[in-house]
Amino acid sequence: MRITCPYCGNRSLDEFLYHGDAEPQRPDATADNAMDAFVSYAFERTNPPGQHHELWYHEAGCHAWLVVTRHVSTHAISSVDIARDLAKARTPNTAGRA
Amino acid sequence: MVENILQARSAFPEFSLSRYHQLTIAVREHITMVSLAAWDGQSEKVQSVIQSIYGHSLPQRPVRVGGMEVSFLWFGPDRWMAVGERDGGRDLEENLKRHLHGLAAVVDHSDGRAVLRLSGARARDVLAKGLPLDLHPRVFKANDVAITHASHIGVLLWQVDDAPTYDIAVPRSYAHSFSDWLLDAAEVFSAI
Ligand SMILES: [Zn+2]
């Protein structure tokens, strides 16, 4: 399997670290149901066959976090996105440090 | 003064220049390397500061810009590595720190990285033995930059010219392992 990093280009799998499912979003820690929500966030995965969105880290390359859309039966990768861009699009008002 | 206590020592004490058939491997001493990592949201300001001081547009993809005095290598998203000749001082680091204060993390790598220069028609053949990248001129050209690994050691590699000449920076603590591998890989080219 090879992954095409949006920055570095097509690279061998051994440059990357898999970091799990990219779908779960960190729950609101102040919510009344925070405990249940965090248990679900940390442990519960449906793991269906087909397309998965996965977090990969280009550890031996540019150090970018990527969201790889991969078919877990065929390993076919249909898209690779920059995790930071997706996260910023979800929460557009986090300006970050100055 | 610190300078009187700590003497600069080569990361490659065992060799300085090795010549093979159509291949030369040399140690690049006296090099200075300083990484720039723009704080979140400050990348454009960092780019305009570098443009106004050095006259170079920081690259947004894995290439090198600049000249002999100082060049800037893409070093990841919103990160760059400034590379220059070290004339005894830390001017590059100090200048960048002063001008990029509050805009970027500026970290000196000069003594943390060891740099070798491979040059000649056989350079690609040697690197192919441990570097998982296609260096064919069709896809990797002069001024292209890559962050990858070679013989399981993390490297920052850039092509200097079409000879081809490559500069390869490795963590200093891996210099010995890396040169062991490289000289071994080059051995086959010693017989003409
Ligand atoms: Zn990358």
Side-chain angles (χ1 to χ4, degrees):
Chain A
M1 198 170 104
R2 293 176 71 84
I3 295 175
T4 301
C5 172
Y7 295 109
C8 302
N10 190 267
R11 296 295 183 92
S12 166
L13 185 63
D14 59 7
E15 293 193 4
F16 298 87
L17 291 179
Y18 174 65
H19 204 74
D21 195 337
E23 290 291 326
Q25 301 303 317
R26 191 176 175 83
D28 177 4
T30 63
D32 290 340
N33 67 341
M35 181 59 88
D36 287 347
F38 266 90
V39 167
S40 171
Y41 167 71
F43 299 112
E44 291 174 3
R45 298 292 181 269
T46 50
N47 197 30
Q51 302 281 352
H52 279 215
H53 299 291
E54 305 173 323
L55 274 173
W56 288 82
Y57 176 55
H58 197 180
E59 189 265 339
C62 66
H63 294 179
W65 285 94
L66 307 172
V67 173
V68 175
T69 304
R70 181 176 71 99
H71 195 293
V72 293
S73 306
T74 64
H75 300 305
I77 291 170
S78 52
S79 66
V80 181
D81 297 295
I82 296 158
R84 186 173 187 252
D85 292 350
L86 297 181
K88 288 207 166 194
R90 273 197 304 272
T91 51
N93 294 325
T94 51
R97 61 185 296 183
Chain B
M1 292 291 284
V2 172
E3 286 88 334
N4 296 332
I5 302 165
L6 299 174
Q7 296 296 323
R9 286 194 300 167
S10 173
F12 302 98
E14 280 156 39
F15 82 101
S16 58
L17 181 73
S18 301
R19 288 187 192 283
Y20 301 86
H21 181 53
Q22 297 187 323
L23 172 69
T24 304
I25 301 175
V27 177
R28 274 204 78 183
E29 307 280 13
H30 314 300
I31 198 170
T32 182
M33 304 180 81
V34 182
S35 70
L36 320 175
W39 296 129
D40 196 12
Q42 303 297 327
S43 184
E44 284 176 16
K45 279 188 200 159
V46 171
Q47 292 169 50
S48 71
V49 167
I50 298 298
Q51 179 75 56
S52 66
I53 297 170
Y54 295 95
H56 300 307
S57 301
L58 289 173
Q60 302 302 307
R61 55 184 204 87
V63 296
R64 172 181 83 143
V65 300
M68 291 294 288
E69 206 163 295
V70 58
S71 59
F72 293 89
L73 279 60
W74 184 86
F75 193 51
D78 296 331
R79 292 195 298 277
W80 299 272
M81 185 74 92
V83 179
E85 296 296 330
R86 175 158 54 175
D87 33 22
R90 293 193 172 275
D91 294 357
L92 183 61
E93 179 198 3
E94 282 161 14
N95 283 343
L96 289 168
K97 275 203 164 135
R98 190 168 63 248
H99 292 295
L100 295 174
H101 183 74
L103 299 177
V106 178
V107 179
D108 178 59
H109 292 244
S110 306
D111 301 310
R113 306 248 168 181
V115 184
L116 287 177
R117 172 165 286 189
L118 276 77
S119 194
R122 286 293 186 185
R124 286 191 188 94
D125 299 325
V126 172
L127 290 174
K129 296 185 182 190
L131 192 92
L133 283 190
D134 186 0
L135 296 180
H136 190 283
R138 188 180 53 227
V139 289
F140 202 89
K141 302 174 169 64
N143 292 320
D144 278 349
V145 171
I147 313 164
T148 182
H149 52 79
S151 184
H152 310 286
I153 295 165
V155 302
L156 171 63
L157 166 137
W158 60 102
Q159 186 171 335
V160 178
D161 61 31
D162 291 326
T165 300
Y166 301 94
D167 280 354
I168 303 177
V170 299
R172 186 188 171 103
S173 56
Y174 285 91
H176 189 84
S177 296
F178 185 76
S179 62
D180 257 11
W181 165 75
L182 188 66
L183 295 180
D184 224 36
E187 187 69 27
V188 69
F189 302 115
S190 58
I192 297 172

